[in-house]
Amino acid sequence: MDLTGKVAVVTGGSRGIGKAVCLRLGALGATVVINYVSRPDAAQETAAEVEKAGGKATLAQFNVADSAAVDAAFKEILETHGRIDVLVNNAGITRDGLFMKMKEADWDLVLDTNLKGAFNCIKAVNRPMMKQRSGAIISITSVIGFAGNAGQANYSAAKAGLIGLTRSLAKELASRNIRVNGVAPGYIDTDMTKDLPESVKEIILSEIPLRSMGAADDVAAAVAFLASEDARYITGQFIHVNGGMYMA
Ligand code: NDP
């Protein structure tokens, strides 16, 4: 796989899965634009690691849920780099709780970040990718978007929405040679999952045939494949990186 000369924007690229994606894409030769929202230190560290490994990286601070900020940031990215070949919609959050107690604000925040955030970013790359007549859009959905989970109605709805968005856009944009795919991780060892109680982790592990949580780089490997020309005939699909816990 070779991404030399390609420009890739990774939302939430500063930590966890996004960081691993930045390192993978950078190592394959892409110039990586690392988006973050609140932690410039983590983003700078990721950029330094990409460059240490011989890649190129720039930073872009914006909240994916803020359409005006997204538009302004992508305009600047296009001015700086001239093109965007790969968009990875990775930024995501959780605000878990049983539905009976779920606050409207927690519903809105998760939907705005995890689903509308992807809408905002795809809107921003749609036209330039159409003009280029090429592009790869990869969204990080979740096993929870396919299977559902008690206590995660907002997250599950957002991730399921991302699945529908991906399938529809795959059909809509295929004629312009823009491929739209998703990666659906299971339980991956990142900041998002580090605070789960040990008892919950034990239950989760007992449901995973491969008997361990995944690493961020396991997800990044699938993203890199979908971003590359090796996946040139693949669109509207999801790669499940979940140790076998859900089989689509
Ligand atoms: P982390 O919490 O480790 O990292 C989240 C990243 O998203 C950070 O870079 C953060 O930036 C960024 N971010 C959060 N909110 C925004 C926002 N509004 N605008 C821009 N950036 C934002 O998460 P993971 O790496 O675990 O998860 C990455 C993706 O993978 C998410 O979409 C998640 O839903 C999905 N996923 C994760 C699984 C897991 O088990 N970990 C399983 C299935 C799916 P900053 O550093 O500035 O805060």
PDB file of all heavy atoms in Angstrom, residues 12-18 35-39 42 62-65 90-93 113-114 140-143 155 159 185-188 190-193, ligand 1:
ATOM      1  N   GLY A  12     -10.346  13.927  15.100  1.00  0.00           N
ATOM      2  CA  GLY A  12      -9.981  13.269  16.360  1.00  0.00           C
ATOM      3  C   GLY A  12      -8.707  12.462  16.194  1.00  0.00           C
ATOM      4  O   GLY A  12      -8.589  11.351  16.702  1.00  0.00           O
ATOM      5  N   GLY A  13      -7.754  13.053  15.489  1.00  0.00           N
ATOM      6  CA  GLY A  13      -6.509  12.329  15.182  1.00  0.00           C
ATOM      7  C   GLY A  13      -5.456  12.430  16.266  1.00  0.00           C
ATOM      8  O   GLY A  13      -4.366  11.879  16.130  1.00  0.00           O
ATOM      9  N   SER A  14      -5.772  13.117  17.344  1.00  0.00           N
ATOM     10  CA  SER A  14      -4.743  13.377  18.355  1.00  0.00           C
ATOM     11  C   SER A  14      -4.518  12.213  19.307  1.00  0.00           C
ATOM     12  O   SER A  14      -3.432  12.062  19.859  1.00  0.00           O
ATOM     13  CB  SER A  14      -5.119  14.624  19.157  1.00  0.00           C
ATOM     14  OG  SER A  14      -6.453  14.536  19.626  1.00  0.00           O
ATOM     15  N   ARG A  15      -5.555  11.406  19.509  1.00  0.00           N
ATOM     16  CA  ARG A  15      -5.445  10.339  20.511  1.00  0.00           C
ATOM     17  C   ARG A  15      -6.084   9.055  20.006  1.00  0.00           C
ATOM     18  O   ARG A  15      -6.832   9.064  19.032  1.00  0.00           O
ATOM     19  CB  ARG A  15      -6.162  10.753  21.810  1.00  0.00           C
ATOM     20  CG  ARG A  15      -5.485  11.881  22.537  1.00  0.00           C
ATOM     21  CD  ARG A  15      -6.144  12.160  23.870  1.00  0.00           C
ATOM     22  NE  ARG A  15      -7.404  12.875  23.750  1.00  0.00           N
ATOM     23  CZ  ARG A  15      -8.568  12.440  24.231  1.00  0.00           C
ATOM     24  NH1 ARG A  15      -8.629  11.292  24.879  1.00  0.00           N
ATOM     25  NH2 ARG A  15      -9.672  13.150  24.085  1.00  0.00           N
ATOM     26  N   GLY A  16      -5.830   7.955  20.714  1.00  0.00           N
ATOM     27  CA  GLY A  16      -6.540   6.697  20.497  1.00  0.00           C
ATOM     28  C   GLY A  16      -6.494   6.174  19.072  1.00  0.00           C
ATOM     29  O   GLY A  16      -5.431   6.132  18.431  1.00  0.00           O
ATOM     30  N   ILE A  17      -7.657   5.790  18.570  1.00  0.00           N
ATOM     31  CA  ILE A  17      -7.740   5.191  17.239  1.00  0.00           C
ATOM     32  C   ILE A  17      -7.285   6.200  16.178  1.00  0.00           C
ATOM     33  O   ILE A  17      -6.552   5.850  15.250  1.00  0.00           O
ATOM     34  CB  ILE A  17      -9.197   4.718  16.976  1.00  0.00           C
ATOM     35  CG1 ILE A  17      -9.525   3.513  17.879  1.00  0.00           C
ATOM     36  CG2 ILE A  17      -9.407   4.375  15.508  1.00  0.00           C
ATOM     37  CD1 ILE A  17     -10.992   3.118  17.894  1.00  0.00           C
ATOM     38  N   GLY A  18      -7.712   7.451  16.332  1.00  0.00           N
ATOM     39  CA  GLY A  18      -7.341   8.485  15.352  1.00  0.00           C
ATOM     40  C   GLY A  18      -5.836   8.653  15.257  1.00  0.00           C
ATOM     41  O   GLY A  18      -5.275   8.805  14.159  1.00  0.00           O
ATOM     42  N   ASN A  35      -6.727  16.515  13.143  1.00  0.00           N
ATOM     43  CA  ASN A  35      -7.716  17.362  13.821  1.00  0.00           C
ATOM     44  C   ASN A  35      -7.804  16.971  15.300  1.00  0.00           C
ATOM     45  O   ASN A  35      -7.678  15.808  15.658  1.00  0.00           O
ATOM     46  CB  ASN A  35      -9.084  17.204  13.150  1.00  0.00           C
ATOM     47  CG  ASN A  35     -10.233  17.589  14.078  1.00  0.00           C
ATOM     48  OD1 ASN A  35     -10.987  16.746  14.542  1.00  0.00           O
ATOM     49  ND2 ASN A  35     -10.352  18.859  14.388  1.00  0.00           N
ATOM     50  N   TYR A  36      -8.035  17.979  16.125  1.00  0.00           N
ATOM     51  CA  TYR A  36      -8.302  17.764  17.544  1.00  0.00           C
ATOM     52  C   TYR A  36      -9.247  18.865  17.988  1.00  0.00           C
ATOM     53  O   TYR A  36      -9.471  19.830  17.247  1.00  0.00           O
ATOM     54  CB  TYR A  36      -6.991  17.808  18.362  1.00  0.00           C
ATOM     55  CG  TYR A  36      -6.353  19.170  18.354  1.00  0.00           C
ATOM     56  CD1 TYR A  36      -6.521  20.059  19.415  1.00  0.00           C
ATOM     57  CD2 TYR A  36      -5.621  19.608  17.250  1.00  0.00           C
ATOM     58  CE1 TYR A  36      -5.964  21.328  19.394  1.00  0.00           C
ATOM     59  CE2 TYR A  36      -5.061  20.882  17.223  1.00  0.00           C
ATOM     60  CZ  TYR A  36      -5.240  21.733  18.291  1.00  0.00           C
ATOM     61  OH  TYR A  36      -4.710  22.993  18.246  1.00  0.00           O
ATOM     62  N   VAL A  37      -9.803  18.745  19.200  1.00  0.00           N
ATOM     63  CA  VAL A  37     -10.695  19.808  19.643  1.00  0.00           C
ATOM     64  C   VAL A  37     -10.174  20.510  20.882  1.00  0.00           C
ATOM     65  O   VAL A  37     -10.239  21.727  20.980  1.00  0.00           O
ATOM     66  CB  VAL A  37     -12.146  19.301  19.841  1.00  0.00           C
ATOM     67  CG1 VAL A  37     -12.263  18.289  20.961  1.00  0.00           C
ATOM     68  CG2 VAL A  37     -13.114  20.446  20.088  1.00  0.00           C
ATOM     69  N   SER A  38      -9.611  19.729  21.845  1.00  0.00           N
ATOM     70  CA  SER A  38      -9.320  20.351  23.141  1.00  0.00           C
ATOM     71  C   SER A  38      -7.905  20.121  23.656  1.00  0.00           C
ATOM     72  O   SER A  38      -7.523  20.724  24.645  1.00  0.00           O
ATOM     73  CB  SER A  38     -10.311  19.812  24.181  1.00  0.00           C
ATOM     74  OG  SER A  38     -10.122  18.413  24.317  1.00  0.00           O
ATOM     75  N   ARG A  39      -7.156  19.246  23.025  1.00  0.00           N
ATOM     76  CA  ARG A  39      -5.851  18.895  23.600  1.00  0.00           C
ATOM     77  C   ARG A  39      -4.721  19.108  22.605  1.00  0.00           C
ATOM     78  O   ARG A  39      -4.239  18.151  21.966  1.00  0.00           O
ATOM     79  CB  ARG A  39      -5.846  17.434  24.040  1.00  0.00           C
ATOM     80  CG  ARG A  39      -6.839  17.129  25.116  1.00  0.00           C
ATOM     81  CD  ARG A  39      -6.248  16.058  25.995  1.00  0.00           C
ATOM     82  NE  ARG A  39      -7.273  15.354  26.717  1.00  0.00           N
ATOM     83  CZ  ARG A  39      -7.100  14.168  27.272  1.00  0.00           C
ATOM     84  NH1 ARG A  39      -5.960  13.520  27.134  1.00  0.00           N
ATOM     85  NH2 ARG A  39      -8.066  13.598  27.942  1.00  0.00           N
ATOM     86  N   ALA A  42      -1.590  16.795  22.968  1.00  0.00           N
ATOM     87  CA  ALA A  42      -1.691  15.430  22.415  1.00  0.00           C
ATOM     88  C   ALA A  42      -1.543  15.474  20.893  1.00  0.00           C
ATOM     89  O   ALA A  42      -0.868  14.622  20.294  1.00  0.00           O
ATOM     90  CB  ALA A  42      -3.032  14.811  22.796  1.00  0.00           C
ATOM     91  N   PHE A  62     -10.503  22.105  15.382  1.00  0.00           N
ATOM     92  CA  PHE A  62     -11.906  22.503  15.212  1.00  0.00           C
ATOM     93  C   PHE A  62     -12.809  21.462  15.851  1.00  0.00           C
ATOM     94  O   PHE A  62     -12.417  20.298  16.033  1.00  0.00           O
ATOM     95  CB  PHE A  62     -12.278  22.715  13.729  1.00  0.00           C
ATOM     96  CG  PHE A  62     -12.074  21.518  12.827  1.00  0.00           C
ATOM     97  CD1 PHE A  62     -13.066  20.570  12.649  1.00  0.00           C
ATOM     98  CD2 PHE A  62     -10.877  21.354  12.128  1.00  0.00           C
ATOM     99  CE1 PHE A  62     -12.878  19.485  11.792  1.00  0.00           C
ATOM    100  CE2 PHE A  62     -10.679  20.272  11.271  1.00  0.00           C
ATOM    101  CZ  PHE A  62     -11.690  19.336  11.107  1.00  0.00           C
ATOM    102  N   ASN A  63     -14.007  21.916  16.197  1.00  0.00           N
ATOM    103  CA  ASN A  63     -15.037  21.030  16.734  1.00  0.00           C
ATOM    104  C   ASN A  63     -15.858  20.523  15.555  1.00  0.00           C
ATOM    105  O   ASN A  63     -16.496  21.313  14.855  1.00  0.00           O
ATOM    106  CB  ASN A  63     -15.910  21.832  17.713  1.00  0.00           C
ATOM    107  CG  ASN A  63     -17.052  21.023  18.279  1.00  0.00           C
ATOM    108  OD1 ASN A  63     -17.271  19.870  17.886  1.00  0.00           O
ATOM    109  ND2 ASN A  63     -17.785  21.617  19.196  1.00  0.00           N
ATOM    110  N   VAL A  64     -15.858  19.216  15.327  1.00  0.00           N
ATOM    111  CA  VAL A  64     -16.555  18.670  14.157  1.00  0.00           C
ATOM    112  C   VAL A  64     -18.054  18.992  14.172  1.00  0.00           C
ATOM    113  O   VAL A  64     -18.698  19.004  13.116  1.00  0.00           O
ATOM    114  CB  VAL A  64     -16.369  17.133  14.006  1.00  0.00           C
ATOM    115  CG1 VAL A  64     -14.940  16.784  13.656  1.00  0.00           C
ATOM    116  CG2 VAL A  64     -16.868  16.382  15.234  1.00  0.00           C
ATOM    117  N   ALA A  65     -18.598  19.257  15.359  1.00  0.00           N
ATOM    118  CA  ALA A  65     -20.038  19.542  15.469  1.00  0.00           C
ATOM    119  C   ALA A  65     -20.391  20.968  15.049  1.00  0.00           C
ATOM    120  O   ALA A  65     -21.560  21.290  14.876  1.00  0.00           O
ATOM    121  CB  ALA A  65     -20.495  19.308  16.903  1.00  0.00           C
ATOM    122  N   ASN A  90     -13.410  10.124  12.424  1.00  0.00           N
ATOM    123  CA  ASN A  90     -13.092   9.315  13.599  1.00  0.00           C
ATOM    124  C   ASN A  90     -13.536   9.967  14.914  1.00  0.00           C
ATOM    125  O   ASN A  90     -13.822   9.264  15.884  1.00  0.00           O
ATOM    126  CB  ASN A  90     -11.577   9.063  13.621  1.00  0.00           C
ATOM    127  CG  ASN A  90     -11.109   8.524  14.956  1.00  0.00           C
ATOM    128  OD1 ASN A  90     -11.282   7.346  15.266  1.00  0.00           O
ATOM    129  ND2 ASN A  90     -10.539   9.399  15.785  1.00  0.00           N
ATOM    130  N   ALA A  91     -13.613  11.309  14.942  1.00  0.00           N
ATOM    131  CA  ALA A  91     -13.933  11.997  16.205  1.00  0.00           C
ATOM    132  C   ALA A  91     -15.234  11.456  16.773  1.00  0.00           C
ATOM    133  O   ALA A  91     -16.230  11.345  16.053  1.00  0.00           O
ATOM    134  CB  ALA A  91     -14.055  13.503  15.967  1.00  0.00           C
ATOM    135  N   GLY A  92     -15.214  11.115  18.039  1.00  0.00           N
ATOM    136  CA  GLY A  92     -16.431  10.587  18.647  1.00  0.00           C
ATOM    137  C   GLY A  92     -16.353  10.646  20.157  1.00  0.00           C
ATOM    138  O   GLY A  92     -15.266  10.693  20.745  1.00  0.00           O
ATOM    139  N   ILE A  93     -17.528  10.682  20.768  1.00  0.00           N
ATOM    140  CA  ILE A  93     -17.618  10.746  22.238  1.00  0.00           C
ATOM    141  C   ILE A  93     -18.728   9.810  22.721  1.00  0.00           C
ATOM    142  O   ILE A  93     -19.556   9.365  21.928  1.00  0.00           O
ATOM    143  CB  ILE A  93     -17.940  12.181  22.727  1.00  0.00           C
ATOM    144  CG1 ILE A  93     -19.243  12.685  22.084  1.00  0.00           C
ATOM    145  CG2 ILE A  93     -16.794  13.136  22.437  1.00  0.00           C
ATOM    146  CD1 ILE A  93     -19.835  13.892  22.769  1.00  0.00           C
ATOM    147  N   THR A 113     -21.928  15.381  17.627  1.00  0.00           N
ATOM    148  CA  THR A 113     -20.501  15.091  17.446  1.00  0.00           C
ATOM    149  C   THR A 113     -20.299  13.887  16.521  1.00  0.00           C
ATOM    150  O   THR A 113     -19.586  13.962  15.519  1.00  0.00           O
ATOM    151  CB  THR A 113     -19.830  14.811  18.821  1.00  0.00           C
ATOM    152  OG1 THR A 113     -20.104  15.899  19.692  1.00  0.00           O
ATOM    153  CG2 THR A 113     -18.326  14.633  18.666  1.00  0.00           C
ATOM    154  N   ASN A 114     -20.961  12.785  16.846  1.00  0.00           N
ATOM    155  CA  ASN A 114     -20.657  11.508  16.167  1.00  0.00           C
ATOM    156  C   ASN A 114     -21.316  11.382  14.793  1.00  0.00           C
ATOM    157  O   ASN A 114     -20.785  10.690  13.924  1.00  0.00           O
ATOM    158  CB  ASN A 114     -21.099  10.333  17.042  1.00  0.00           C
ATOM    159  CG  ASN A 114     -20.349  10.269  18.368  1.00  0.00           C
ATOM    160  OD1 ASN A 114     -19.610  11.180  18.714  1.00  0.00           O
ATOM    161  ND2 ASN A 114     -20.541   9.208  19.109  1.00  0.00           N
ATOM    162  N   ILE A 140     -15.588   5.923  11.193  1.00  0.00           N
ATOM    163  CA  ILE A 140     -15.442   4.933  12.263  1.00  0.00           C
ATOM    164  C   ILE A 140     -16.786   4.821  12.961  1.00  0.00           C
ATOM    165  O   ILE A 140     -17.207   5.711  13.702  1.00  0.00           O
ATOM    166  CB  ILE A 140     -14.341   5.340  13.284  1.00  0.00           C
ATOM    167  CG1 ILE A 140     -13.024   5.693  12.576  1.00  0.00           C
ATOM    168  CG2 ILE A 140     -14.141   4.204  14.292  1.00  0.00           C
ATOM    169  CD1 ILE A 140     -12.415   4.592  11.756  1.00  0.00           C
ATOM    170  N   THR A 141     -17.458   3.738  12.687  1.00  0.00           N
ATOM    171  CA  THR A 141     -18.738   3.495  13.350  1.00  0.00           C
ATOM    172  C   THR A 141     -18.446   2.596  14.555  1.00  0.00           C
ATOM    173  O   THR A 141     -17.425   2.809  15.227  1.00  0.00           O
ATOM    174  CB  THR A 141     -19.787   2.964  12.338  1.00  0.00           C
ATOM    175  OG1 THR A 141     -20.926   2.566  13.056  1.00  0.00           O
ATOM    176  CG2 THR A 141     -19.284   1.869  11.440  1.00  0.00           C
ATOM    177  N   SER A 142     -19.268   1.620  14.841  1.00  0.00           N
ATOM    178  CA  SER A 142     -19.017   0.799  16.031  1.00  0.00           C
ATOM    179  C   SER A 142     -19.855  -0.472  15.975  1.00  0.00           C
ATOM    180  O   SER A 142     -20.934  -0.487  15.366  1.00  0.00           O
ATOM    181  CB  SER A 142     -19.407   1.580  17.289  1.00  0.00           C
ATOM    182  OG  SER A 142     -19.436   0.729  18.410  1.00  0.00           O
ATOM    183  N   VAL A 143     -19.387  -1.485  16.645  1.00  0.00           N
ATOM    184  CA  VAL A 143     -20.192  -2.694  16.829  1.00  0.00           C
ATOM    185  C   VAL A 143     -21.552  -2.325  17.448  1.00  0.00           C
ATOM    186  O   VAL A 143     -22.579  -2.944  17.158  1.00  0.00           O
ATOM    187  CB  VAL A 143     -19.433  -3.720  17.713  1.00  0.00           C
ATOM    188  CG1 VAL A 143     -19.194  -3.182  19.117  1.00  0.00           C
ATOM    189  CG2 VAL A 143     -20.166  -5.040  17.795  1.00  0.00           C
ATOM    190  N   TYR A 155     -25.442   6.857  21.567  1.00  0.00           N
ATOM    191  CA  TYR A 155     -24.234   6.448  20.820  1.00  0.00           C
ATOM    192  C   TYR A 155     -24.601   5.464  19.713  1.00  0.00           C
ATOM    193  O   TYR A 155     -24.145   5.579  18.573  1.00  0.00           O
ATOM    194  CB  TYR A 155     -23.271   5.811  21.828  1.00  0.00           C
ATOM    195  CG  TYR A 155     -21.915   5.424  21.273  1.00  0.00           C
ATOM    196  CD1 TYR A 155     -20.916   6.375  21.103  1.00  0.00           C
ATOM    197  CD2 TYR A 155     -21.631   4.096  20.962  1.00  0.00           C
ATOM    198  CE1 TYR A 155     -19.669   6.011  20.620  1.00  0.00           C
ATOM    199  CE2 TYR A 155     -20.390   3.728  20.484  1.00  0.00           C
ATOM    200  CZ  TYR A 155     -19.409   4.688  20.320  1.00  0.00           C
ATOM    201  OH  TYR A 155     -18.174   4.309  19.839  1.00  0.00           O
ATOM    202  N   LYS A 159     -24.148   5.993  15.710  1.00  0.00           N
ATOM    203  CA  LYS A 159     -23.296   5.086  14.928  1.00  0.00           C
ATOM    204  C   LYS A 159     -24.099   4.359  13.855  1.00  0.00           C
ATOM    205  O   LYS A 159     -23.602   4.107  12.757  1.00  0.00           O
ATOM    206  CB  LYS A 159     -22.584   4.089  15.853  1.00  0.00           C
ATOM    207  CG  LYS A 159     -21.569   4.736  16.801  1.00  0.00           C
ATOM    208  CD  LYS A 159     -20.451   5.433  16.044  1.00  0.00           C
ATOM    209  CE  LYS A 159     -19.323   5.890  16.942  1.00  0.00           C
ATOM    210  NZ  LYS A 159     -18.276   6.627  16.213  1.00  0.00           N
ATOM    211  N   PRO A 185     -15.284  -0.871  14.891  1.00  0.00           N
ATOM    212  CA  PRO A 185     -14.504  -1.526  15.947  1.00  0.00           C
ATOM    213  C   PRO A 185     -15.400  -2.126  17.021  1.00  0.00           C
ATOM    214  O   PRO A 185     -16.513  -1.661  17.250  1.00  0.00           O
ATOM    215  CB  PRO A 185     -13.680  -0.374  16.551  1.00  0.00           C
ATOM    216  CG  PRO A 185     -13.830   0.786  15.615  1.00  0.00           C
ATOM    217  CD  PRO A 185     -15.144   0.591  14.929  1.00  0.00           C
ATOM    218  N   GLY A 186     -14.852  -3.131  17.687  1.00  0.00           N
ATOM    219  CA  GLY A 186     -15.481  -3.657  18.902  1.00  0.00           C
ATOM    220  C   GLY A 186     -14.909  -2.880  20.077  1.00  0.00           C
ATOM    221  O   GLY A 186     -14.889  -1.650  20.053  1.00  0.00           O
ATOM    222  N   TYR A 187     -14.411  -3.581  21.105  1.00  0.00           N
ATOM    223  CA  TYR A 187     -13.839  -2.878  22.269  1.00  0.00           C
ATOM    224  C   TYR A 187     -12.333  -2.698  22.075  1.00  0.00           C
ATOM    225  O   TYR A 187     -11.591  -3.667  22.015  1.00  0.00           O
ATOM    226  CB  TYR A 187     -14.166  -3.612  23.564  1.00  0.00           C
ATOM    227  CG  TYR A 187     -15.597  -3.344  23.954  1.00  0.00           C
ATOM    228  CD1 TYR A 187     -16.614  -4.172  23.508  1.00  0.00           C
ATOM    229  CD2 TYR A 187     -15.928  -2.221  24.703  1.00  0.00           C
ATOM    230  CE1 TYR A 187     -17.939  -3.903  23.820  1.00  0.00           C
ATOM    231  CE2 TYR A 187     -17.252  -1.940  25.016  1.00  0.00           C
ATOM    232  CZ  TYR A 187     -18.247  -2.792  24.566  1.00  0.00           C
ATOM    233  OH  TYR A 187     -19.562  -2.524  24.857  1.00  0.00           O
ATOM    234  N   ILE A 188     -11.926  -1.448  21.982  1.00  0.00           N
ATOM    235  CA  ILE A 188     -10.532  -1.114  21.681  1.00  0.00           C
ATOM    236  C   ILE A 188      -9.941  -0.375  22.877  1.00  0.00           C
ATOM    237  O   ILE A 188     -10.609   0.478  23.492  1.00  0.00           O
ATOM    238  CB  ILE A 188     -10.469  -0.217  20.414  1.00  0.00           C
ATOM    239  CG1 ILE A 188     -11.246  -0.842  19.236  1.00  0.00           C
ATOM    240  CG2 ILE A 188      -9.016   0.060  20.024  1.00  0.00           C
ATOM    241  CD1 ILE A 188     -10.750  -2.177  18.724  1.00  0.00           C
ATOM    242  N   THR A 190      -8.421   2.294  24.496  1.00  0.00           N
ATOM    243  CA  THR A 190      -8.114   3.728  24.331  1.00  0.00           C
ATOM    244  C   THR A 190      -8.626   4.473  25.558  1.00  0.00           C
ATOM    245  O   THR A 190      -9.234   3.867  26.450  1.00  0.00           O
ATOM    246  CB  THR A 190      -8.841   4.332  23.098  1.00  0.00           C
ATOM    247  OG1 THR A 190     -10.253   4.337  23.379  1.00  0.00           O
ATOM    248  CG2 THR A 190      -8.580   3.581  21.821  1.00  0.00           C
ATOM    249  N   ASP A 191      -8.459   5.803  25.559  1.00  0.00           N
ATOM    250  CA  ASP A 191      -8.988   6.611  26.673  1.00  0.00           C
ATOM    251  C   ASP A 191     -10.490   6.396  26.850  1.00  0.00           C
ATOM    252  O   ASP A 191     -11.016   6.469  27.957  1.00  0.00           O
ATOM    253  CB  ASP A 191      -8.748   8.108  26.408  1.00  0.00           C
ATOM    254  CG  ASP A 191      -7.277   8.463  26.518  1.00  0.00           C
ATOM    255  OD1 ASP A 191      -6.502   7.634  27.027  1.00  0.00           O
ATOM    256  OD2 ASP A 191      -6.904   9.574  26.077  1.00  0.00           O
ATOM    257  N   MET A 192     -11.191   6.144  25.705  1.00  0.00           N
ATOM    258  CA  MET A 192     -12.650   6.005  25.761  1.00  0.00           C
ATOM    259  C   MET A 192     -13.083   4.813  26.617  1.00  0.00           C
ATOM    260  O   MET A 192     -14.131   4.829  27.233  1.00  0.00           O
ATOM    261  CB  MET A 192     -13.209   5.868  24.340  1.00  0.00           C
ATOM    262  CG  MET A 192     -14.709   5.894  24.254  1.00  0.00           C
ATOM    263  SD  MET A 192     -15.309   5.808  22.556  1.00  0.00           S
ATOM    264  CE  MET A 192     -15.419   7.521  22.123  1.00  0.00           C
ATOM    265  N   THR A 193     -12.254   3.783  26.637  1.00  0.00           N
ATOM    266  CA  THR A 193     -12.656   2.554  27.337  1.00  0.00           C
ATOM    267  C   THR A 193     -11.842   2.305  28.609  1.00  0.00           C
ATOM    268  O   THR A 193     -12.123   1.352  29.340  1.00  0.00           O
ATOM    269  CB  THR A 193     -12.478   1.335  26.399  1.00  0.00           C
ATOM    270  OG1 THR A 193     -11.191   1.408  25.786  1.00  0.00           O
ATOM    271  CG2 THR A 193     -13.539   1.310  25.322  1.00  0.00           C
TER     272      THR A 193
HETATM  273  P1  NDP B   1     -10.656   8.779  22.362  1.00  0.00           P
HETATM  274  O1  NDP B   1     -11.577   9.292  23.411  1.00  0.00           O
HETATM  275  O2  NDP B   1      -9.424   8.044  22.761  1.00  0.00           O
HETATM  276  O3  NDP B   1     -10.230   9.976  21.384  1.00  0.00           O
HETATM  277  C1  NDP B   1     -11.218  10.824  20.887  1.00  0.00           C
HETATM  278  C2  NDP B   1     -10.632  11.747  19.846  1.00  0.00           C
HETATM  279  O4  NDP B   1     -11.697  12.509  19.272  1.00  0.00           O
HETATM  280  C3  NDP B   1      -9.640  12.753  20.413  1.00  0.00           C
HETATM  281  O5  NDP B   1      -8.645  12.976  19.448  1.00  0.00           O
HETATM  282  C4  NDP B   1     -10.496  14.008  20.613  1.00  0.00           C
HETATM  283  O6  NDP B   1      -9.758  15.226  20.528  1.00  0.00           O
HETATM  284  C5  NDP B   1     -11.424  13.893  19.428  1.00  0.00           C
HETATM  285  N1  NDP B   1     -12.681  14.622  19.573  1.00  0.00           N
HETATM  286  C6  NDP B   1     -13.647  14.435  20.503  1.00  0.00           C
HETATM  287  N2  NDP B   1     -14.667  15.289  20.294  1.00  0.00           N
HETATM  288  C7  NDP B   1     -14.340  16.023  19.205  1.00  0.00           C
HETATM  289  C8  NDP B   1     -14.969  17.077  18.492  1.00  0.00           C
HETATM  290  N3  NDP B   1     -16.163  17.544  18.876  1.00  0.00           N
HETATM  291  N4  NDP B   1     -14.329  17.611  17.423  1.00  0.00           N
HETATM  292  C9  NDP B   1     -13.123  17.153  17.041  1.00  0.00           C
HETATM  293  N5  NDP B   1     -12.467  16.156  17.678  1.00  0.00           N
HETATM  294  C10 NDP B   1     -13.071  15.597  18.738  1.00  0.00           C
HETATM  295  O7  NDP B   1     -11.587   7.871  21.426  1.00  0.00           O
HETATM  296  P2  NDP B   1     -11.263   6.507  20.637  1.00  0.00           P
HETATM  297  O8  NDP B   1      -9.972   6.611  19.958  1.00  0.00           O
HETATM  298  O9  NDP B   1     -11.538   5.369  21.526  1.00  0.00           O
HETATM  299  O10 NDP B   1     -12.456   6.522  19.561  1.00  0.00           O
HETATM  300  C11 NDP B   1     -12.292   7.020  18.244  1.00  0.00           C
HETATM  301  C12 NDP B   1     -13.525   6.665  17.447  1.00  0.00           C
HETATM  302  O11 NDP B   1     -13.708   5.249  17.447  1.00  0.00           O
HETATM  303  C13 NDP B   1     -14.817   7.259  18.007  1.00  0.00           C
HETATM  304  O12 NDP B   1     -15.667   7.634  16.953  1.00  0.00           O
HETATM  305  C14 NDP B   1     -15.422   6.099  18.776  1.00  0.00           C
HETATM  306  O13 NDP B   1     -16.813   6.223  18.876  1.00  0.00           O
HETATM  307  C15 NDP B   1     -15.015   4.949  17.893  1.00  0.00           C
HETATM  308  N6  NDP B   1     -15.020   3.658  18.559  1.00  0.00           N
HETATM  309  C16 NDP B   1     -14.219   3.433  19.638  1.00  0.00           C
HETATM  310  C17 NDP B   1     -14.247   2.209  20.264  1.00  0.00           C
HETATM  311  C18 NDP B   1     -13.396   1.886  21.444  1.00  0.00           C
HETATM  312  O14 NDP B   1     -13.599   0.795  22.022  1.00  0.00           O
HETATM  313  N7  NDP B   1     -12.458   2.728  21.847  1.00  0.00           N
HETATM  314  C19 NDP B   1     -15.145   1.133  19.796  1.00  0.00           C
HETATM  315  C20 NDP B   1     -15.924   1.482  18.650  1.00  0.00           C
HETATM  316  C21 NDP B   1     -15.857   2.696  18.065  1.00  0.00           C
HETATM  317  P3  NDP B   1      -9.020  15.905  21.828  1.00  0.00           P
HETATM  318  O15 NDP B   1      -7.776  15.068  22.075  1.00  0.00           O
HETATM  319  O16 NDP B   1      -8.700  17.299  21.403  1.00  0.00           O
HETATM  320  O17 NDP B   1     -10.007  15.830  22.947  1.00  0.00           O
END
